[in-house]
Amino acid sequence: MKYKRILLKLSGEALMGKKQFGIDNDRLMQYANEVKEISDLGVEIGIVVGGGNIFRGVQAEQGGMDRTQGDYMGMLATMINSMALQAALESIGVYSRLQSAIEMKEIAEPFIKRRAVRHLEKGRVVIFGSGTGNPFFTTDSAASLRAIEIDADVILKGTRVNGIYSEDPELNPDAKMYDNLTFSEVFNKDLKVMDMTAFTLCKENNVPIIVFNMNKPGNLKKVVTGENVGTLVEV
Ligand code: GTP
């Protein structure tokens, strides 16, 4: 095993699968099974899920809504996804705990770092909902923050593309994929990995990032066992 403790960032949009909105059950179960596979190997897993399949604060602002209001709505969207993921994990026998950055104690534990770490040590998957609990931060920033707090060995950013490319591979099929990059190279080449806040948090705290295709079955296991999948960003 290359990584003992990971923070997995899942995109909310990816949860839509082929749907236009909401959660595709097949995709959800696929993700849950991938997580189970590495949990069975003994990897300690924290997960942050986005909310873009349900609501995006930035888009709401473009439509005239106050950004703060929109961002809180987006945080609630991450809770819906987190609850769905927890239910999916539970349905296949994976022990998990859901912690929320915004207190909603009827449905989730509050985020308590020490408690989260204890859950991980006991082999429970810990899902971190409600982003950072603050407006103006993305769920990528939440992933970076939680990764640092739980002392994760790496952030695994699951996407629908194979890694980091010289250009958007969905727009330019000739775009070149990188296997390895340094944080400085990502800055200098102005590559889109995460938003700057999230990226800087990783850089300053020396948390490597692997961007990989989460939709390819078996990929998550390959990443944690050290196979050459996706793009690794490190110092
Ligand atoms: P250990 O003490 O390590 O055994 O952890 P534990 O999570 O099993 O213990 P605890 O008795 O604290 O929690 C039992 C269940 O209640 C778990 O499913 C928790 O996620 C849940 N739980 C704990 N605190 C809260 C809370 O504030 N709100 C909600 N909704 N659930 C909670």
Side-chain angles (χ1 to χ4, degrees), residues 97 105-110 115 119 122 124:
R97 294 291 185 265
K105 60 184 185 328
E106 286 77 6
I107 52 174
E109 299 178 16
R115 198 160 177 197
H119 287 322
K122 289 185 173 178
R124 298 161 180 156

Side-chain angles (χ1 to χ4, degrees), residues 63-185:
M65 187 189 281
D66 171 62
R67 170 74 187 264
T68 303
Q69 184 85 341
D71 280 348
Y72 278 115
M73 291 168 74
M75 290 179 237
L76 295 181
T78 71
M79 280 304 284
I80 292 176
N81 288 334
S82 297
M83 290 172 76
L85 183 62
Q86 183 177 37
L89 288 168
E90 224 160 47
S91 76
I92 52 172
V94 179
Y95 292 107
S96 68
R97 294 291 185 265
L98 171 57
Q99 296 200 337
S100 172
I102 297 174
E103 195 170 315
M104 40 184 104
K105 60 184 185 328
E106 286 77 6
I107 52 174
E109 299 178 16
F111 169 67
I112 299 169
K113 177 232 150 130
R114 285 174 183 279
R115 198 160 177 197
V117 168
R118 190 78 190 107
H119 287 322
L120 292 170
E121 288 168 352
K122 289 185 173 178
R124 298 161 180 156
V125 174
V126 184
I127 306 168
F128 300 106
S130 306
T132 68
N134 297 287
F136 299 99
F137 290 95
T138 61
T139 47
D140 276 352
S141 290
S144 304
L145 183 61
R146 296 296 180 243
I148 296 161
E149 286 176 294
I150 65 169
D151 201 18
D153 301 326
V154 65
I155 294 187
L156 306 181
K157 183 169 156 133
T159 67
R160 58 185 180 194
V161 294
N162 290 337
I164 303 171
Y165 288 80
S166 52
E167 290 171 71
D168 185 342
E170 289 178 340
L171 299 179
N172 182 358
D174 294 328
K176 166 177 168 284
M177 191 186 117
Y178 300 99
D179 291 332
N180 291 285
L181 286 163
T182 64
F183 283 103
S184 309
E185 282 170 336

